[in-house]
Amino acid sequence: MTIQKDQAEQSMENASDIAEKIAALGSMDAVKESGAFDELMGFIDRGEIQLDGKNGFIQQIIRAGLERGLKSELSSHLGYEQGESHGRFLPNSRNGSYAKTVSTVAGDIDLQIPRDRAGTFVPTLVPKGSRRTGGLDEMIISLYAGGMTVRDIAYHLETTVGTQLSHDTISKITDEVLDEVAAWQERPLEEFYPILYLDAIVIKVRDGHQVRNKAAHMAIGVTVEGIKHVLGLWVTENEGAKFWAQVCAQLANRGVKDVLIACCDGLTGFPEAIEATWSRATVQTCVVHLIRAANRFVSYTDRRAVSAQLKSIYTAPSIESACKALDDFEASQLGQKYPSAVATWRNAWERFTPFLEFPPELRKVIYTTNAIESMNYQLRKVTKSRGHFPSDVAAVKMLWLAICNIEDKRARERAKDAQKKGRTPRAGAGSHLVEGAGTSGWKQALQQLAMAYPERIEPYLK
């Protein structure tokens, strides 16, 4: 035991010495030129330095870097470097240090925080009262955005990096984004969105002693440039036309003056809720929702055949031919077998037909709320592991963080793809959130929108 203890202490001393050398040199090039890097690799090869774990090299390099930075801050505060003789004639001077344990992404690290005699030194690298580094906060928020609960995060940090944080501390860290969420929810929007997608997903939220199903409403607007933006998130008891009317009114209050086409599901009263805010908007019922609603009454073995016949309706070249296709479906064997599927299309016909008046390129953009469906698919993967949320605020916080992650990944993928193809990434393509994916075939769709709504779209074309 004594031999093992001596080896561990020697390994820690070696790691500490090398870490201080590397921290003092500053850049990797200087480290290699000095020979410190080769010295480090020699220790590692011989097993004389432990890289990770308590007092391993990674912890030592973080400690050395932080302590070096703190000493530099104190020197700037006092006006002289440590060891300079004229320092003793100044009104304030160094006064040793005090110990402090700080939680980092590499685990808990014991630091020596320098202090001055006058007690006026306020470090910024490790602020007073702070027990964590910024990197750990970012890790916790990232884990939370990935769908992990507060308890899951606490267990993960303890078992992986050896850092113990209370559930209240983790909750407070994630709550730090609430101001940013509120600012995002209230940010000014553009005056004009050619396409607006509106949809909701069901989530489970604790209400008192019960867990209830609630609806998380989402709006995605497509700009004139064809970029999709998540405009807002709202959680309420259930999805209803009355609440959607409030959402539309809020979007209008934030600056949205006109919408050409609003795509939504077949919820009763939904089109009227949209038109109450934007009277000139064309409301298009999502074709995919219609197909799903019709198949709700169809046995599993017949769904493929029914969907194939329904395709002749929404791919028809005109309203007249679509009407004939629906009549043919109604008269067919499947139509006779499933009259409720026919009735679904009959009841939604008025809100479905606007889609048929547009050319194929524009139909691809508006025939479905897939812009939201794709986002909802990603969000469901995150919410599925949560079971339920403790409150509406917690639900909005987690969904917003998840959207940040989703959009951030998409932006990074687009930037990488652009670099591989030798193109310059679009401005802002690497930014965090609110820039979504571009709309496929948007140039052709925009051209057709300009022909269909010339007086409304022309003022916004650059």
Side-chain angles (χ1 to χ4, degrees):
M1 285 292 294
T2 304
I3 296 175
Q4 290 179 347
K5 184 177 179 181
D6 291 342
Q7 289 177 341
E9 290 177 352
Q10 185 61 47
S11 175
M12 185 177 71
E13 290 178 7
N14 293 338
S16 179
D17 292 341
I18 295 294
E20 289 179 5
K21 286 182 183 178
I22 291 176
L25 290 167
S27 69
M28 195 61 197
D29 289 338
V31 171
K32 290 181 178 179
E33 290 177 4
S34 70
F37 182 75
D38 293 332
E39 186 179 358
L40 168 64
M41 295 309 296
F43 279 119
I44 293 174
D45 292 341
R46 294 190 299 272
E48 297 177 14
I49 281 184
Q50 179 184 345
L51 278 176
D52 55 2
K54 182 67 175 176
N55 294 319
F57 177 73
I58 294 174
Q59 281 199 1
Q60 293 293 343
I61 192 69
I62 294 174
R63 180 188 63 78
L66 290 174
E67 289 185 348
R68 181 176 176 80
L70 289 166
K71 290 176 181 178
S72 178
E73 284 187 23
L74 181 59
S75 294
S76 298
H77 176 72
L78 296 176
Y80 73 95
E81 296 293 334
Q82 187 171 7
E84 292 182 351
S85 57
H86 69 278
R88 63 179 181 271
F89 301 111
L90 296 176
N92 196 8
S93 61
R94 287 172 168 78
N95 188 31
S97 61
Y98 62 93
K100 183 176 184 177
T101 301
V102 178
S103 297
T104 73
V105 292
D108 292 343
I109 294 176
D110 298 325
L111 293 177
Q112 291 297 317
I113 309 296
R115 57 189 173 192
D116 61 332
R117 294 191 178 280
T120 56
F121 175 53
V122 180
T124 58
L125 192 60
V126 183
K128 286 186 177 180
S130 173
R131 292 287 177 178
R132 304 180 310 275
T133 60
L136 185 63
D137 287 10
E138 292 173 2
M139 176 191 286
I140 290 170
I141 290 172
S142 177
L143 294 172
Y144 190 83
M148 293 180 68
T149 64
V150 168
R151 293 179 182 275
D152 291 337
I153 294 171
Y155 177 75
H156 175 77
L157 293 177
E158 185 176 355
T159 55
T160 56
V161 299
T163 293
Q164 293 184 349
L165 295 178
S166 69
H167 298 162
D168 287 342
T169 299
I170 295 173
S171 293
K172 288 177 181 177
I173 292 170
T174 59
D175 283 346
E176 290 174 3
V177 304
L178 288 177
D179 289 341
E180 196 173 348
V181 174
W184 175 77
Q185 286 277 62
E186 297 172 3
R187 75 193 190 281
L189 301 175
E190 296 190 20
E191 292 185 4
F192 176 67
Y193 289 94
I195 312 292
L196 180 67
Y197 302 100
L198 301 168
D199 202 3
I201 61 170
V202 176
I203 58 175
K204 294 184 181 297
V205 182
R206 178 169 290 281
D207 185 2
H209 298 290
Q210 294 182 326
V211 175
R212 302 180 185 275
N213 285 340
K214 291 193 175 184
H217 301 69
M218 190 188 307
I220 292 182
V222 182
T223 66
V224 175
E225 292 77 22
I227 307 302
K228 301 167 188 171
H229 294 268
V230 180
L231 306 183
L233 280 168
W234 302 267
V235 174
T236 189
E237 288 292 336
N238 48 54
E239 185 180 10
K242 184 177 180 181
F243 187 79
W244 274 120
Q246 296 175 12
V247 168
C248 292
Q250 187 182 128
L251 294 176
N253 291 336
R254 289 165 58 195
V256 182
K257 294 182 178 179
D258 193 13
V259 171
L260 295 184
I261 301 171
C263 304
C264 60
D265 61 19
L267 183 69
T268 303
F270 204 164
E272 291 76 15
I274 296 170
E275 290 167 347
T277 302
W278 303 291
S279 58
R280 296 192 295 170
T282 299
V283 181
Q284 172 63 50
T285 296
C286 172
V287 176
V288 173
H289 277 84
L290 269 177
I291 296 170
R292 288 176 185 166
N295 276 323
R296 190 179 298 128
F297 308 102
V298 177
S299 67
Y300 182 78
T301 54
D302 290 333
R303 284 185 181 179
R304 181 171 293 183
V306 169
S307 297
Q309 290 204 29
L310 292 177
K311 186 176 182 180
S312 63
I313 301 173
Y314 62 84
T315 57
S318 65
I319 296 177
E320 293 75 16
S321 57
C323 189
K324 183 180 182 303
L326 181 57
D327 291 338
D328 292 343
F329 172 60
E330 186 175 19
S332 69
Q333 184 178 355
L334 287 171
Q336 295 294 315
K337 186 177 180 180
Y338 302 109
S340 296
V342 177
T344 298
W345 283 79
R346 293 284 185 203
N347 295 335
W349 195 253
E350 183 183 349
R351 296 298 180 180
F352 160 71
T353 51
F355 159 84
L356 298 172
E357 297 179 356
F358 298 109
E361 290 81 4
L362 186 52
R363 287 189 188 187
K364 292 178 182 179
V365 176
I366 66 172
Y367 91 100
T368 176
T369 55
N370 266 358
I372 287 185
E373 289 295 322
S374 174
M375 180 71 73
N376 286 349
Y377 173 75
Q378 300 286 339
L379 293 179
R380 286 190 187 98
K381 290 197 297 184
V382 174
T383 59
K384 187 177 180 180
S385 63
R386 290 298 305 255
H388 68 272
F389 296 95
S391 65
D392 291 356
V393 173
V396 171
K397 177 176 65 174
M398 202 287 295
L399 290 171
W400 181 81
L401 285 168
I403 291 171
C404 285
N405 271 5
I406 293 166
E407 297 296 9
D408 198 43
K409 288 176 185 176
R410 288 175 175 176
R412 292 177 187 277
E413 287 172 2
R414 288 196 301 274
K416 287 180 181 178
D417 185 60
Q419 289 177 349
K420 286 180 181 178
K421 294 179 179 179
R423 300 196 308 264
T424 302
R426 187 170 62 244
S431 60
H432 199 46
L433 183 64
V434 203
E435 185 199 0
T439 303
S440 178
W442 179 248
K443 293 294 183 182
Q444 293 84 351
L446 182 63
Q447 183 178 354
Q448 290 159 6
L449 284 171
M451 294 175 65
Y453 307 94
E455 74 287 352
R456 292 168 64 188
I457 200 171
E458 187 64 33
Y460 300 100
L461 295 176
K462 296 179 182 179

